[in-house]
Amino acid sequence: MSWLDEIRWTPEGLVPVIAQQAGNGRVVMFAWMNRESLALTAQEGYAVYWSRSRNKLWRKGEESGHRQKVISIQLDCDGDVILLEIEQEGGIACHTGRESCFYRQLVDGQWQAVEAVIKDPETIYKKL
């Protein structure tokens, strides 16, 4: 049996993935992978996700240059969530130009940005 067969995939053939910064443990993003993207991630050593909105493989950093070097790939006890320990190249994981996609915090019943933009997304993504 392949290591990929030990994963409990969703009916759509996906598995949720948490990307965590090596060294400090900060969760920088959440995404999805299919069998092909997970196999490519293990083979290439850089995160490859499955984009549900674009319905295609998405190599993290393919446009921005902010790739994620994979240090380790871990599977949770239920076999249905992947944890990637990564080194975030450029220090920016979020398309908004922030370190983490989790930059909003619930404060007094409203979502507030609690993390500053490191780099203007318009300078990162030429298509915006």
Side-chain angles (χ1 to χ4, degrees), residues 21-70:
Q21 179 63 43
N24 66 15
R26 173 115 194 249
V27 173
V28 296
M29 62 176 277
F30 168 86
W32 296 91
M33 287 184 174
N34 63 9
R35 288 179 72 95
E36 182 182 10
S37 62
L38 183 53
L40 286 169
T41 296
Q43 178 184 344
E44 297 175 2
Y46 285 88
V48 180
Y49 298 107
W50 177 256
S51 172
R52 295 182 305 160
S53 61
R54 292 176 275 176
N55 202 34
K56 68 175 194 168
L57 292 175
W58 159 47
R59 283 177 164 75
K60 177 66 176 157
E62 64 191 359
E63 291 181 39
S64 66
H66 300 140
R67 300 187 317 161
Q68 293 176 341
K69 182 178 182 186
V70 176

Side-chain angles (χ1 to χ4, degrees), residues 75-108:
L75 182 63
D76 81 325
C77 59
D78 293 324
D80 61 0
V81 177
I82 298 290
L83 176 66
L84 295 182
E85 184 181 15
I86 56 102
E87 288 179 0
Q88 181 64 58
E89 294 182 356
I92 297 172
C94 186
H95 74 281
T96 65
R98 292 175 171 88
E99 176 187 11
S100 171
C101 294
F102 298 96
Y103 64 89
R104 293 183 283 188
Q105 181 175 323
L106 188 61
V107 179
D108 296 327

